[in-house]
Amino acid sequence: MKRHIAIFASGTGSNAKKIIEYFKHNPKVAVSLVVSNKAEAPVLKMAQENGVPTLVIDRAFFYQTENILKIFNQYSIDYVVLAGFLWLVPTYLVRAFEGRMVNIHPALLPKYGGKGMYGMRVHEAVKMAGETETGITIHLVNEQYDNGDIVFQAKCPVETTDSPDDIAQKIHRLEHRHFPEVIEKLLTGNTSKP
Ligand code: GRF
């Protein structure tokens, strides 16, 4: 049976793009919906250009109704991927997708995670602390920020000359290389990548 992913993203969506491209011709997995809380987020345009339906949500819709589950039904969504989505996931959605919802975090959790730790703030904190390595974490989503079971981590060195921007670039490269493949493994048990 074909698996259908919904991606939640609020920003540029470079990870969402890589995931959409990776599964474009895959008979077993499809990205079937992109959800954003920002109507102007570039990720929405990118999704539409790739023929993926989009949904914009506001706080009331997300937190005070469970209507997103009905929409997920319409698109046969059975897996959720958070890729640059900053809102805490409400309990009804965590429960409905327990073990079937992952997030990517741009650091080696449990370090540099939690509320307010996102984007450049993470890389600035890594730099300030004088870390010699950082990395990415893909983890299951529960009701707390960046707290669910870790399913994958990859590391990269931090040179003393690296700026937070340099670190961000290294992290994005790592994310793009690993995230689609890890999702495929979680969904199908293996990877189609040569
Ligand atoms: C990524 O660095 C991810 O780790 C974090 O948000 C960022 C999203 O970047 N959760 P992009 O929008 O996919 O480029």
Side-chain angles (χ1 to χ4, degrees), residues 11-16 83-85 103-106 171-172 175-176:
T12 321
S14 70
N15 279 286
F85 184 71
N103 177 48
I104 190 161
H105 186 78
I171 290 296
H172 259 113
E175 293 183 332
H176 296 165

Side-chain angles (χ1 to χ4, degrees), residues 39-57:
E40 72 289 357
V43 66
L44 293 172
K45 190 162 176 274
M46 180 281 298
Q48 285 150 14
E49 283 167 3
N50 282 279
V52 179
T54 57
L55 173 71
V56 178
I57 54 170

Side-chain angles (χ1 to χ4, degrees), residues 53-128:
T54 57
L55 173 71
V56 178
I57 54 170
D58 63 18
R59 281 192 176 274
F61 180 85
F62 197 43
Y63 291 106
Q64 289 165 27
T65 77
E66 298 187 6
N67 291 343
I68 202 159
L69 295 178
K70 293 182 195 147
I71 295 173
F72 278 4
N73 259 333
Q74 288 164 19
Y75 290 99
S76 306
I77 300 302
D78 62 1
Y79 210 87
V80 174
V81 170
L82 311 184
F85 184 71
L86 301 182
W87 287 358
L88 195 63
V89 178
T91 302
Y92 74 85
L93 192 51
V94 171
R95 295 214 175 128
F97 282 82
E98 198 159 7
R100 295 183 295 139
M101 179 166 12
V102 286
N103 177 48
I104 190 161
H105 186 78
L108 295 171
L109 291 175
K111 283 174 152 186
Y112 307 107
K115 190 168 166 54
M117 264 296 175
Y118 60 86
M120 287 306 292
R121 293 185 190 191
V122 175
H123 311 309
E124 278 155 11
V126 165
K127 173 78 188 166
M128 283 283 287

Side-chain angles (χ1 to χ4, degrees), residues 172-183:
H172 259 113
R173 279 198 294 273
L174 266 189
E175 293 183 332
H176 296 165
R177 179 171 347 133
H178 294 290
F179 202 14
E181 209 181 325
V182 170
I183 294 166

